[in-house]
Amino acid sequence: MDAQGRGRAGDIDPADQWVLNPDTGEYELRLPPSAAQSPVPGPRGAAPADAPDREVPPQRRRRSAPEEPPPGRAGRRRPAKKKSRGKRVLLWTGGTMAFVVLAGGTAGYLYLQHLNDNIQSVADDGASTGGFQKDKAINILLIGTDKRTGSGNEGYGDTGSAGHADTTILLHVSKDRSNATALSIPRDLIVDVPDCPTTQEDGTQKVIPGSTGVRFNTSLGQDGRTPSCTMRTVTELTGVTPDNFMVADFNAVKTLTSAVGGVEVCLAKDIDDPDSHLKLPAGEHTVEGEQALAFVRTRHSVGFGGDLSRIQIQQQFLSALMRKLKSNDTLTSPSKMLKLAEAGTEALTVDSQLDSIGKLKDLGLELGKLNTKNLTFTTVPVVDNPAEKVKATVVLKEGPAQQVFDMVANDVSFTEVKQKEKKEAAAVAARLKGEQSEPSEVRVRVMNGGAPAGSAQQELAYLQTDAGVTKSENAGNAPADLSRTTLEYAPDQADQARALAEILGLSGAAMKPGESVTNSQGLPTMTLTLGKDFKGAGVKINAAAGKTPEGVEKSTADKVECAK
């Protein structure tokens, strides 16, 4: 059964039971009388009491957890605000709105310092890189929670917790700001949650034990886990350490869409969803306020009716909202930008490294350099959990998933980014063009310049045994570590260099014209230095921009997509 085909009758998602309270104007959870209620839910990775027993498949080897933060490190906490009746709003899937705030709120952040008072912050607990930097690639973890608030619902959910990681997006922005990838992580993905050092209310730290083979959404809220634990779980899963995290109020969909005068969406078929209260005919529509909220909440009427279908419709909505936010109609309207800034900062919770308007403004300015056609939305490749008879969770589709993670980690674009015509760029591209020697004629020595220990010997074995590069040898460790693998060669070795680049998947930028050296037999040879980007013997080193791994679906923010 396909991973998206889990829309079963009787499988009611609590998120679909939120209804509008006419007295407060906000959404509240209303469960049917027969629904079981418990003040503290059990682990979401566990099967319900009436579900058949099922096994969880073996997990991949866990990556080592990030180092624990030094003693005394704690995020700045602001005093808790006393919430009025009108502020008791739904905090479900707010990471989506954090993305919107980042994309469109830049001008608004500049207008008044009082917006600082709207921002709430929690400790990053040493799980981040320490915060984004202007001269490096940026990775922001956007988290949406399913925290239950509202009159009459105090006994449901984790009262006083941060909620669970119901919607999560890892937003990667390239170092040169030419492209970005928004990678959605399914809430029902089976993962390992590492041990999480967590700052307590009194400023002390407590290590919350990890869990093996549980739903991703339990990385937040469960057992007192905070957003920093979700950050550690993402690092464990993807190999990418986020710079910052952001959590926001999902109800901000209403205020943000109203502030910009509505968002244009498209439906491929009629939708009448009694759960989300979305009723629209096929075609293009402008939605705002409560109707916009219903649009992003619907799932049973689109796709296969599962959580993956909801992810797709949310990505389509975000693309449409991005286009509206970057339109002249929005950017040239001071009143719209003011409303966006107010709504965004009211909805926003950030980590302790990103807790001021100044920092948010700097981040917004970096994101403002993006072109929507080079902002790609995609989802971690998954398949149905083969250990389950009743499909409820998913597991990684190992090959494609690792390729996606590697592309993000190595700052490779999912779209073809047009570069300005420069002589230097043309010269780099030309290094790959021309005749190539036979592998048996390629003479190269292999050095380790930052790759894991033993990598040079492993790559040498691959070259000699599988690639036919028999005139190769291990030259030990390089004088210095390199972030990127390089191939240095003399002008008369260019044909050999092109052949080796083809075998290894090297880009023109990795090829360094220079001088040859002599090998152990006194013959001229090229030098291949394996850098920190080395992924393993026989694995292509540089993925080509714009080439998405097989089976991975993607969309870009500049194109109108119709929900099916």
Side-chain angles (χ1 to χ4, degrees):
M1 183 176 181
D2 186 84
Q4 300 191 42
R6 294 192 303 281
R8 305 183 305 279
D11 184 10
I12 300 176
D13 185 342
D16 292 329
Q17 301 175 62
W18 292 91
V19 297
L20 181 67
N21 185 331
D23 295 328
T24 65
E26 303 297 343
Y27 278 82
E28 299 177 355
L29 182 69
R30 300 294 174 82
L31 293 177
S34 60
Q37 298 187 18
S38 171
V40 181
R44 293 193 169 197
D50 58 350
D53 293 335
R54 61 175 185 265
E55 298 178 354
V56 177
Q59 299 297 302
R60 301 179 305 155
R61 185 176 62 183
R62 292 176 58 170
R63 295 181 174 88
S64 58
E67 294 182 359
E68 293 189 9
R73 180 172 183 176
R76 180 165 63 88
R77 290 178 177 268
R78 300 182 184 276
K81 296 181 180 179
K82 182 178 181 180
K83 294 186 178 180
S84 65
R85 184 180 185 187
K87 287 292 182 69
R88 296 171 185 170
V89 292
L90 173 65
L91 297 180
W92 178 67
T93 56
T96 298
M97 297 323 303
F99 185 92
V100 172
V101 170
L102 281 173
T106 302
Y109 294 144
L110 300 175
Y111 88 105
L112 278 178
Q113 284 301 307
H114 84 263
L115 293 178
N116 272 313
D117 295 333
N118 291 345
I119 302 172
Q120 302 296 306
S121 67
V122 294
D124 73 342
D125 296 315
S128 74
T129 63
F132 80 94
Q133 298 182 42
K134 295 181 180 180
D135 60 346
K136 294 184 179 180
I138 298 174
N139 294 292
I140 306 294
L141 188 63
L142 309 174
I143 307 171
T145 75
D146 61 355
K147 183 177 180 180
R148 270 65 171 166
T149 60
S151 178
N153 297 313
E154 293 84 357
Y156 186 84
D158 285 349
T159 302
S161 82
H164 298 82
D166 200 57
T167 292
T168 305
I169 295 175
L170 177 61
L171 175 64
H172 172 81
V173 184
S174 68
K175 180 179 179 179
D176 63 5
R177 307 297 184 255
S178 65
N179 65 90
T181 301
L183 180 64
S184 293
I185 302 175
R187 66 184 183 186
D188 296 326
L189 175 63
I190 295 297
V191 298
D192 292 341
V193 177
D195 293 344
C196 296
T198 305
T199 302
Q200 305 299 298
E201 291 292 337
D202 60 1
T204 62
Q205 279 213 337
K206 172 184 177 182
V207 177
I208 299 176
S211 301
T212 301
V214 295
R215 278 181 167 90
F216 175 84
N217 63 357
T218 62
S219 65
L220 177 63
Q222 192 74 34
D223 300 324
R225 292 169 180 148
T226 66
S228 67
C229 193
T230 304
M231 184 178 278
R232 294 186 192 276
T233 304
V234 169
T235 301
E236 177 95 354
L237 174 69
T238 68
V240 177
T241 301
D243 301 305
N244 300 96
F245 65 72
M246 304 179 75
V247 186
D249 183 347
F250 189 70
N251 259 314
V253 170
K254 296 190 295 183
T255 55
L256 286 170
T257 53
S258 296
V260 297
V263 174
E264 291 72 30
V265 298
C266 181
L267 296 174
K269 62 181 180 181
D270 297 345
I271 287 185
D272 186 358
D273 186 349
D275 295 314
S276 70
H277 306 292
L278 180 66
K279 186 174 183 179
L280 286 173
E284 297 183 359
H285 304 275
T286 299
V287 297
E288 64 176 283
E290 294 169 8
Q291 193 175 49
L293 184 57
F295 183 86
V296 296
R297 288 179 62 237
T298 191
R299 73 163 181 165
H300 294 305
S301 299
V302 294
F304 292 93
D307 182 53
L308 298 182
S309 297
R310 176 181 286 165
I311 287 176
Q312 291 179 343
I313 200 170
Q314 288 177 349
Q315 290 176 347
Q316 293 167 13
F317 177 83
L318 282 174
S319 295
L321 188 50
M322 280 287 294
R323 293 192 294 272
K324 188 62 176 285
L325 289 168
K326 294 181 74 69
S327 69
N328 289 334
D329 181 55
T330 300
L331 296 176
T332 59
S333 172
S335 64
K336 287 184 178 180
M337 296 308 296
L338 186 148
K339 291 179 181 178
L340 282 169
E342 290 285 357
T345 53
E346 280 286 348
L348 194 64
T349 299
V350 299
D351 68 85
S352 49
Q353 309 294 334
L354 194 64
D355 59 355
S356 72
I357 289 298
K359 294 177 182 178
L360 287 171
K361 178 263 295 180
D362 289 342
L363 179 57
L365 289 174
E366 293 302 309
L367 292 171
K369 299 174 183 178
L370 292 171
N371 188 319
T372 54
K373 69 180 180 180
N374 292 325
L375 169 58
T376 303
F377 289 90
T378 190
T379 304
V380 173
V382 296
V383 295
D384 282 326
N385 190 339
E388 296 175 339
K389 294 181 179 179
V390 178
K391 303 305 180 183
T393 63
V394 293
V395 295
L396 288 180
K397 191 174 184 179
E398 289 287 351
Q402 190 58 54
Q403 291 180 58
V404 168
F405 298 154
D406 288 342
M407 290 179 73
V408 173
N410 294 312
D411 201 19
V412 177
S413 175
F414 280 67
T415 59
E416 294 183 8
V417 181
K418 293 183 178 180
Q419 299 182 2
K420 295 180 180 179
E421 293 184 2
K422 297 180 180 179
K423 292 182 179 180
E424 181 179 354
V428 168
R431 294 172 189 169
L432 295 171
K433 299 178 180 179
E435 295 183 0
Q436 298 181 9
S437 299
E438 292 295 324
S440 60
E441 298 301 319
V442 173
R443 188 179 290 112
V444 62
R445 62 175 191 156
V446 184
M447 303 187 75
N448 191 330
S455 294
Q457 185 59 40
Q458 293 169 12
E459 185 69 353
L460 179 66
Y462 163 76
L463 290 174
Q464 293 181 340
T465 304
D466 299 316
V469 183
T470 55
K471 297 178 180 178
S472 51
E473 63 182 34
N474 188 340
N477 293 326
D481 288 350
L482 303 176
S483 60
R484 302 285 184 182
T485 297
T486 62
L487 175 62
E488 186 174 1
Y489 58 97
D492 61 352
Q493 296 172 319
D495 52 350
Q496 295 183 46
R498 285 190 286 268
L500 191 58
E502 175 73 19
I503 293 171
L504 300 179
L506 293 176
S507 66
M511 300 173 66
K512 305 296 182 183
E515 298 180 354
S516 65
V517 295
T518 55
N519 62 11
S520 58
Q521 297 176 336
L523 300 174
T525 183
M526 302 183 295
T527 300
L528 173 67
T529 305
L530 304 179
K532 295 179 180 179
D533 59 343
F534 180 73
K535 306 179 186 69
V539 179
K540 298 291 185 181
I541 293 175
N542 292 317
K547 292 185 178 180
T548 305
E550 184 178 354
V552 177
E553 296 184 359
K554 68 177 183 179
S555 62
T556 52
D558 64 318
K559 297 178 180 179
V560 177
E561 299 281 349
C562 293
K564 300 178 181 179

